[in-house]
Amino acid sequence: MTTKRLFLTVMPWLLLVVIGLLTAWLRYGFIEPPALAHSCDDGNTSASCSMRTFIVLGFNTYSFGIAALVITALAFVRKNIAIAWLAAALGIFAIIMYCYYAGAMALLVGCLRWVNLQKFGMPTPGDQNRDSNRQVQAQP
């Protein structure tokens, strides 16, 4: 496997980990601190309070879990690796943002679909010296 091919295979997985870390920061560093919650309770209409309210409404209404399941269903219908990756990413986001069941299902199915679609682009070990390059091997 070439370096470029390895990079293209591994990079989306690392990006998935980065999305998980950013979502964890969003939950524990932006949503849950009591100081920010109390400053937004006083009728503050700043951009950060509006974003915090939008995120809180999103997980209170289970919208993140529903969105993750919709994208996961779309990943079943379409054979697109980007949609499968998006289902896994939304699954991680939903798990961390309190939508455990739907997020876990989206993460599992999205990753399985993603791996299944990723394997079709990789050569199998038996294909390296087959008829494709027409090289004749000497008998030992």
Side-chain angles (χ1 to χ4, degrees):
M1 181 178 282
T2 64
T3 306
K4 182 180 177 183
R5 182 112 177 123
L6 181 66
F7 178 76
L8 291 175
T9 303
V10 173
M11 192 59 177
W13 292 100
L14 294 176
L15 191 58
L16 200 61
V17 171
V18 168
I19 286 175
L21 292 173
L22 288 175
T23 306
W25 171 83
L26 186 67
R27 175 179 168 180
Y28 296 113
F30 186 70
I31 301 295
E32 289 188 0
L36 184 63
H38 292 306
S39 69
C40 290
D41 287 341
D42 299 332
N44 190 354
T45 58
S46 67
S48 63
C49 287
S50 298
M51 189 169 99
R52 183 184 180 280
T53 303
F54 174 75
I55 293 170
V56 169
L57 284 174
F59 65 72
N60 279 340
T61 59
Y62 214 69
S63 298
F64 300 134
I66 293 169
L69 288 177
V70 166
I71 297 298
T72 302
L74 187 62
F76 271 125
V77 176
R78 301 197 50 165
K79 290 185 177 182
N80 189 342
I81 198 165
I83 295 174
W85 181 86
L86 184 61
L90 283 176
I92 285 180
F93 186 81
I95 287 172
I96 295 174
M97 288 295 167
Y98 304 103
C99 302
Y100 306 114
Y101 300 117
M105 180 66 80
L107 177 62
L108 176 68
V109 172
C111 284
L112 289 174
R113 184 72 174 150
W114 182 16
V115 167
N116 189 23
L117 291 172
Q118 223 176 19
K119 77 174 181 180
F120 289 123
M122 297 197 171
T124 59
D127 289 340
Q128 291 175 0
N129 293 319
R130 295 275 176 176
D131 294 330
S132 62
N133 58 7
R134 302 277 184 202
Q135 292 181 356
V136 178
Q137 299 288 328
Q139 295 272 338

